[in-house]
Amino acid sequence: MRIVRVLGFAGGLALAALQGWAQTTPGMPSLRKQGTATQLTVDGKPFLALTGELGNNAATSVEHTKSIWPRLKASNLNTALVGVSWAQIEPVEGKFDFSVIDGVIQQARAQDMHMVILWFASWKNGFSSYTPDWVKKDFERFPLVQINKGKSIAMLSPLSTVNRDADAKAFAALMRHLRETDGQVHTVLMIQVENEVGVLRDSRDRSPAANKAFAAPVPKELMDYLQKHKDTLISEFAEVWKAHGSKTSGTWEEVFGPGKPDTLELAVRTLAPPMTQEDKDAAWHKLTWPADEFFMAWQYARYVGKVAEAGKAEYAIPMYANAWLQQPDHGWPGTYPSGGPLPQVMDVWKAGAPAIDILAPDLYLTQVLTELCTRYTRQGNPLFIPETSGAAEATSNVLYAIAQFNAIGFSPFYIERQVGPEFQLGKTYAQIAGMLPIILDNQGKGTMAAARFTAENASQKIKLGNYTAEISIARSRRAPGAVALPATAILISTGPDEYFIIGDSLNVTFSPNGPGPEQVGLGTVEEGSFVDGKWVPGRRLAGDDTEQGETSGVRVAGAMRVTLYRYK
Ligand code: DGJ
């Protein structure tokens, strides 16, 4: 059944909605809940995106991308993230040219691969370098962000509905074209709407329109959302609201505290204002001038949300917004994009951009991977990692993200520079591809978990089903060799006394969770591997290789199936 969505956007789009394409076509990519997880489904089946992001400008030339696809395929990717710019498809206002993107889609199809399209339009890394020239030149019609007492910066202002509607019109044209050319084939899975939005070099837009909106009351829609969701708001956001009296109306500064004083001008990398080293170390975990950041988050969310709505009216595949995260040298909003979909403003984005399905971290800060995945999966936000490092540690990070946080995709940046015979993640992608059914079947059901090991965290417990597994990095003579850290172990409970364990150089011991005999013994212990989703056993182990069957006898190198029993 096709469901029609009524839109607030221009009339032409509403017509498209009435034609019935607005929400569904059979098998089109969509998001579906499975227990606590949200999975991407394509052609009615769950799909895990083993992907990488092409360099920003790769897909501006069909010729350039020709040799890339087979290389991605050979490294076991099933999808690539590909930028398409507003300038590329609408070089002259109102005249659209989809020839390059059509060619790139054909190439992906020829390799049986999928694509996620990155809509580089009003913003790319905060700035507006991918807008068409007719937009860039006409800065009076398409107003810019102003910082530091009125200096224009080459960033479209999110407060302008003219900017928004021009972008939305082009995006709707792209989505209409995708529906017409890909609506039955489903090469394109998802859309990233814009790229790393947010104001840089100042904590907020200070154009006259922005100053007026900042001095006005916080919009009622946002205040209503906050009150309605007050018990489940993101904690760091709720703390700011509470600290200023949990007001239900007032200006941005009345409700969320003071913004950056007009008199204070700071160079972009300055850790504001004079700080001790201790303060600096803590600054990137703190919110400075949250009123400014929350205000900008509302402006960007409303704008990006409207662009997404216009696109979904044409072809409603899943859409997400990606974030440039606050990092150790980012002490105040403006050193990182102020107003982007960072964890602290997830509520503002949810309230302002309901057409955006996922808020996605560009996750280069892998030393705090667990913290960031945890923050980004709050309130049921699905985890999709559109940008990350493809270095050796990616092999561990991807396993952790999909098994512990039910990620729907993982995507190292500038992938065409990395793939090849030495690309370790390619081997992990092949391993995951073999295990896909078991991973997808178990996401969100409480039957799969993962632990991540670092030098400081060499031993961890996973409580899963009837047993708790204590897993540690093996250092015994039976499992020699340095373990590459970080390392990940995945545990899947496939029956009351049966587990699969995936990892390398690990020792595992099991203890019972419920009443009954206290001792745990090893029943069947098999080495093996997953091939096309099926478990193919290798050696069956007992005796010397399993400590004579005592529970401490499981040493994992690759994948293992273990059955347990209890005795006294
Ligand atoms: C993050 C951006 O989203 C990418 O497009 C690219 O510019 C990288 N940064 C560069 O490191």
Side-chain angles (χ1 to χ4, degrees):
M1 200 180 76
R2 290 172 182 178
I3 306 159
V4 176
R5 190 164 200 218
V6 179
L7 291 173
F9 191 64
L13 301 176
L15 181 63
L18 290 171
Q19 285 164 349
W21 281 100
Q23 283 296 316
T24 60
T25 63
M28 69 186 264
S30 60
L31 296 173
R32 196 187 291 163
K33 275 288 219 195
Q34 173 171 287
T36 57
T38 300
Q39 295 181 319
L40 176 62
T41 64
V42 188
D43 298 320
K45 295 191 217 102
F47 185 91
L48 188 61
L50 304 174
T51 183
E53 180 169 327
L54 297 190
N56 293 167
N57 307 306
T60 57
S61 155
V62 182
E63 189 52 34
H64 177 83
T65 41
K66 204 155 78 196
S67 62
I68 296 178
W69 293 99
R71 293 173 51 228
L72 302 183
K73 178 94 180 164
S75 281
N76 307 307
L77 278 78
N78 58 21
T79 306
L81 274 58
V82 175
V84 174
S85 77
W86 182 3
Q88 177 185 332
I89 68 156
E90 196 183 6
V92 176
E93 187 169 8
K95 300 245 179 313
F96 292 96
D97 177 357
F98 299 109
S99 52
V100 175
I101 183 62
D102 285 348
V104 174
I105 291 174
Q106 288 304 334
Q107 291 174 343
R109 271 188 204 151
Q111 296 294 327
D112 199 20
M113 287 190 67
H114 291 276
M115 288 169 48
V116 170
I117 286 186
L118 316 177
W119 176 234
F120 292 167
S122 292
W123 301 290
K124 160 80 178 63
N125 302 27
F127 285 86
S128 301
S129 62
Y130 284 91
T131 53
D133 287 3
W134 55 268
V135 173
K136 284 180 182 157
K137 287 180 191 160
D138 203 347
F139 52 86
E140 293 198 340
R141 179 173 161 211
F142 301 107
L144 301 175
V145 165
Q146 293 178 17
I147 58 166
N148 292 341
K149 300 190 196 121
K151 180 176 181 276
S152 288
I153 179 164
M155 271 173 197
L156 289 181
S157 171
L159 281 103
S160 161
T161 52
V162 174
N163 293 349
R164 182 196 72 193
D165 291 350
D167 182 333
K169 200 168 155 203
F171 184 56
L174 172 66
M175 295 311 294
R176 186 180 322 126
H177 183 74
L178 288 179
R179 180 239 297 163
E180 287 164 0
T181 54
D182 195 51
Q184 308 301 323
V185 190
H186 311 142
T187 299
V188 179
L189 302 176
M190 295 203 289
I191 307 288
Q192 177 184 295
V193 187
E194 316 293 343
N195 188 81
E196 295 189 343
V197 304
V199 170
L200 287 165
R201 305 194 180 160
D202 203 339
S203 54
R204 69 171 176 85
D205 187 353
R206 289 168 204 278
S207 62
N211 287 342
K212 193 168 160 215
F214 190 66
V218 176
K220 187 169 172 323
E221 290 141 284
L222 178 57
M223 289 300 356
D224 287 351
Y225 181 97
L226 300 186
Q227 283 169 71
K228 191 164 164 215
H229 296 89
K230 63 178 185 311
D231 297 332
T232 51
L233 293 176
I234 293 296
S235 57
E236 58 272 34
F237 179 88
E239 272 164 31
V240 174
W241 191 28
K242 194 166 164 214
H244 296 95
S246 304
K247 296 191 183 77
T248 54
S249 65
T251 65
W252 290 88
E253 289 190 299
E254 284 165 356
V255 178
F256 299 117
K260 191 190 89 170
D262 286 345
T263 47
L264 192 58
E265 278 188 34
L266 298 160
V268 69
R269 294 286 167 193
T270 309
L271 287 165
M275 290 167 139
T276 63
Q277 187 56 46
E278 217 174 25
D279 286 342
K280 285 182 183 173
D281 291 343
W284 70 289
H285 267 143
K286 281 191 186 156
L287 300 183
T288 305
W289 310 309
D292 291 351
E293 186 173 3
F294 296 176
F295 169 73
M296 287 319 306
W298 178 251
Q299 305 305 336
Y300 281 107
R302 296 293 286 169
Y303 186 124
V304 174
K306 287 284 180 206
V307 172
E309 262 183 37
K312 281 194 168 178
E314 295 293 346
Y315 186 40
I317 59 176
M319 297 195 183
Y320 69 92
N322 68 327
W324 163 345
L325 300 172
Q326 190 171 0
Q327 324 222 352
D329 58 346
H330 292 159
W332 51 278
T335 54
Y336 59 91
S338 178
L342 278 83
Q344 59 263 28
V345 289
M346 282 171 78
D347 288 304
V348 183
W349 271 80
K350 290 238 160 101
I356 291 293
D357 303 294
I358 303 173
L359 304 177
D362 286 350
L363 214 163
Y364 294 97
L365 269 181
T366 51
Q367 66 274 31
V368 283
L369 181 73
T370 306
E371 180 195 319
L372 287 168
C373 292
T374 304
R375 291 177 83 192
Y376 267 97
T377 46
R378 292 177 295 179
Q379 300 180 342
N381 184 55
L383 183 64
F384 180 67
I385 303 179
E387 286 183 44
T388 187
S389 156
E393 64 164 295
T395 58
S396 152
N397 297 345
V398 64
L399 295 170
Y400 189 54
I402 61 176
Q404 180 68 8
F405 293 98
N406 303 316
I408 63 175
F410 183 87
S411 175
F413 181 67
Y414 229 134
I415 191 70
E416 67 270 40
R417 285 190 176 165
Q418 306 187 52
V419 286
E422 304 305 318
F423 185 48
Q424 289 183 43
L425 181 63
K427 297 182 186 95
T428 307
Y429 275 180
Q431 183 193 8
I432 296 170
M435 294 171 57
L436 270 182
I438 191 167
I439 289 177
L440 291 167
D441 279 358
N442 284 284
Q443 281 188 328
K445 291 186 181 161
T447 49
M448 176 168 68
R452 190 169 189 256
F453 302 93
T454 59
E456 302 75 43
N457 236 334
S459 179
Q460 297 194 49
K461 286 186 178 168
I462 301 179
K463 189 174 177 190
L464 194 68
N466 292 337
Y467 298 86
T468 294
E470 181 156 7
I471 311 179
S472 18
I473 297 169
R475 299 197 193 281
S476 82
R477 66 189 163 83
R478 287 171 201 262
V483 183
L485 295 175
T488 291
I490 299 180
L491 193 65
I492 304 172
S493 149
T494 42
D497 301 300
E498 185 189 60
Y499 292 87
F500 284 99
I501 314 165
I502 295 99
D504 253 317
S505 305
L506 302 168
N507 285 335
V508 188
T509 319
F510 289 92
S511 55
N513 289 334
E518 276 182 12
Q519 303 210 68
V520 178
L522 300 177
T524 302
V525 178
E526 284 170 358
E527 295 176 333
S529 57
F530 289 92
V531 179
D532 295 334
K534 300 246 165 358
W535 175 245
V536 179
R539 287 194 306 161
R540 180 174 170 145
L541 307 181
D544 291 354
D545 287 324
T546 63
E547 303 273 10
Q548 319 308 328
E550 296 208 296
T551 176
S552 55
V554 183
R555 302 214 162 79
V556 186
M560 273 190 153
R561 186 177 81 90
V562 174
T563 67
L564 305 171
Y565 69 96
R566 293 171 63 174
Y567 64 96
K568 63 177 181 180

